[in-house]
Amino acid sequence: MSLHAFRRAQRRSRLRRPAALAAVAAATLAATLLAPSASAGPAPALAAAPDIPVANVKAHLAQLQSIATANGGNRAHGRAGYKASVDYVKAKLDAAGYTTALKTFTYNGATGYNLIADWPGGDASHTVMAGSHLDSVTGGPGINDNGSGSAGILEVALAVSRAGLQPTKHLRFGWWGAEEYGMVGSKNYVNGLSAGERSSIEAYLNFDMIGSPNPGYFVYDDDTKLDNLFKTYFSGIGVATEPETEGDGRSDHAPFKNAGIPVGGLFSGADYTKTSAQASKWGGTAGQAFDRCYHASCDTSANIDDTALDRMSDAIAHAVWTLGTESAPPPGKVFENTTAVAIPDAGAAVTSSITVSGVAGNAPAALQVGVDIKHTWRGDLVIDLVAPDGSSYRLKNSSSNDSADNVITTYTVNASSEVANGTWKLKVQDVAAQDTGTIAGWKLTF
Ligand code: DTR
Ligand code: CA
Ligand code: ZN
Ligand code: ZN
């Protein structure tokens, strides 16, 4: 192996996620699927979200528990219990009037499944999405992790149907496969989105563990608007919350965030220990994990706190109703350049220009800069926005350990001190040897 290839292999191997995966056993019983309940006839859309009956959520969990029990004790990727779980959720949604799609992928020699359900109607260019991973670990039924999130969003989706909700925005729900192996299903979904499909998803809400037996109330802190939406809801019902700060890469919101999509979500805690300060505000047991059965065989339907599951499910409904019925913002003026520009490896900066006209006054304080750069090892890249008067705004610094490919995202720039009309430039420089790429296109939205 040449030094060049060795260096590249070394750089790449440094960040690989160890994935010692058990062989997939095949012997299973066919799970008996319940006849899906007939959804109530359409009712007038409700202004505010309805209460989500926690008994309904627990009934879904009972079904997932039965499926695991009938299939070797788990609902893991590549096992019959996972596919039976998908079939159960899909049947409920089909009966409730959703447009469902089963998207397959392969991981570790086994077929994985993502289930996507679209509620017909709403402006598809403004899509609000809620998702949960449906797979368990191989070592248990995964009722809290993550039957709870899966059942919570399922019941909210069914409540949308029961209400005959006619949202201004398009509602989409997703159940992910193989999260436990590194967000494999959700990464596959996001990577399969076109630039237009990506930019149409204006919020992705993730729910992974929402019924922990010694619960906390954690709100993802990745996006101010979505963060505040949940914090305000919980303070309205007198429940204190804390930011979820365990790290962005811990669940299926990560691929969406990496693609520049605003993300939010809720979490009731896993293997970390509840402090006495947390116990004083939330109840439960200090010095004990939020979920002592995390990734264990005891993560059964008995491993759920009903109050947490109820509150979290109601919060999900509140978010879906609120975001889904917001009036869509007036479309901004978009200027785009889709001429490819090659980026020389470890070479001089290159630019791509957009001439803006017909926009009065200065650029906005939240100028949207959509970037589509195809480039392996994106850590090599430094990216700047250059205003017509030559002022430069740093969008991305280089990084020695960002091994991911491509920069496909939307930056928000406070360009309010710049006159809008004139020629704007996207300036890109590859500052490290070996990997190369191209500016595929970029756009400005005023
Ligand atoms: N990684 C998730 C559980 C998990 C652990 N920390 C967080 C933070 C935010 C969401 C989820 C999690 C799993 O094991 O599925
Ligand atoms: Ca409820
Ligand atoms: Zn897990
Ligand atoms: Zn999980």
Side-chain angles (χ1 to χ4, degrees):
M1 181 187 280
S2 70
L3 176 61
H4 173 93
F6 174 73
R7 246 196 84 212
R8 181 194 296 271
Q10 196 185 30
R11 291 201 322 186
R12 289 189 183 292
S13 64
R14 196 166 53 224
L15 296 161
R16 286 262 175 266
R17 186 184 173 102
L21 302 173
V24 172
T28 56
L29 300 173
T32 311
L33 291 180
L34 279 181
S37 61
S39 58
L46 301 169
D51 173 70
I52 300 299
V54 69
N56 291 10
V57 184
K58 286 178 68 72
H60 300 314
L61 294 182
Q63 288 302 321
L64 295 179
Q65 176 65 66
S66 300
I67 287 168
T69 303
N71 289 282
N74 70 73
R75 300 179 305 99
H77 164 71
R79 307 292 179 89
Y82 179 73
K83 182 61 167 57
S85 302
V86 169
D87 292 344
Y88 169 75
V89 175
K90 185 177 186 297
K92 288 284 188 186
L93 294 161
D94 288 339
Y98 278 81
T99 304
T100 61
L102 209 47
K103 296 177 181 286
T104 62
F105 58 89
T106 301
Y107 182 74
N108 204 41
T111 300
Y113 302 87
N114 288 328
L115 174 62
I116 305 299
D118 286 281
W119 180 240
D123 178 355
S125 67
H126 293 273
T127 294
V128 173
M129 189 165 188
S132 292
H133 76 88
L134 184 55
D135 63 310
S136 75
V137 291
T138 54
I143 299 306
N144 186 36
D145 180 21
N146 182 40
S148 62
S150 296
I153 65 170
L154 172 59
E155 192 55 29
V156 169
L158 298 179
V160 165
S161 172
R162 288 194 294 268
L165 185 66
Q166 293 175 329
T168 51
K169 299 179 180 175
H170 182 69
L171 299 181
R172 178 173 298 154
F173 297 83
W175 287 263
W176 310 118
E179 184 274 348
E180 299 291 4
Y181 291 101
M183 291 88 78
V184 176
S186 54
K187 282 178 183 171
N188 180 274
Y189 174 77
V190 173
N191 289 342
L193 294 174
S194 67
E197 288 167 331
R198 247 192 334 272
S199 58
S200 72
I201 300 176
E202 66 178 39
Y204 171 73
L205 307 176
N206 192 63
F207 305 100
D208 182 355
M209 301 178 74
I210 64 169
S212 304
N214 187 23
Y217 293 86
F218 298 97
V219 176
Y220 291 18
D221 60 353
D222 305 271
D223 176 86
T224 306
K225 175 185 174 184
L226 301 177
D227 179 351
N228 288 337
L229 180 66
F230 286 117
K231 285 197 298 193
T232 306
Y233 174 80
F234 277 103
S235 63
I237 61 170
V239 174
T241 57
E242 289 186 9
E244 190 289 299
T245 56
E246 278 194 45
D248 288 349
R250 292 297 304 257
S251 192
D252 295 300
H253 56 304
F256 288 86
K257 183 173 184 179
N258 290 340
I261 294 169
V263 300
L266 298 173
F267 177 52
S268 55
D271 48 349
Y272 283 19
T273 301
K274 181 182 277 186
T275 66
S276 48
Q278 289 170 328
S280 60
K281 66 180 157 186
W282 289 331
T285 310
Q288 201 178 89
F290 295 100
D291 180 352
R292 287 186 295 181
C293 291
Y294 175 60
H295 285 185
S297 58
C298 55
D299 186 6
T300 65
S301 41
N303 187 49
I304 291 289
D305 178 88
D306 291 3
T307 302
L309 185 66
D310 188 14
R311 288 169 171 170
M312 293 287 198
S313 299
D314 290 338
I316 297 170
H318 171 75
V320 167
W321 252 258
T322 303
L323 296 172
T325 60
E326 276 178 337
S327 53
K333 275 198 166 184
V334 181
F335 299 82
E336 192 168 14
N337 183 340
T338 56
T339 303
V341 178
I343 307 166
D345 185 22
V350 291
T351 60
S352 172
S353 299
I354 288 175
T355 299
V356 172
S357 61
V359 178
N362 282 10
L367 175 63
Q368 300 298 294
V369 186
V371 171
D372 184 357
I373 296 176
K374 303 292 196 291
H375 193 291
T376 51
W377 200 286
R378 66 185 177 201
D380 290 5
L381 298 178
V382 173
I383 307 174
D384 293 294
L385 173 70
V386 182
D389 69 356
S391 310
S392 184
Y393 296 78
R394 177 57 48 93
L395 302 180
K396 177 191 174 296
N397 290 310
S398 62
S399 158
S400 61
N401 60 11
D402 183 355
S403 65
D405 296 340
N406 308 329
V407 181
I408 304 171
T409 190
T410 299
Y411 297 100
T412 301
V413 175
N414 180 356
S416 55
S417 63
E418 306 294 343
V419 172
N421 291 333
T423 299
W424 296 73
K425 289 188 171 67
L426 185 74
K427 182 177 159 196
V428 183
Q429 186 172 13
D430 176 343
V431 297
Q434 293 184 40
D435 293 84
T436 58
T438 306
I439 302 174
W442 68 296
K443 66 181 175 183
L444 292 169
T445 304
F446 288 80

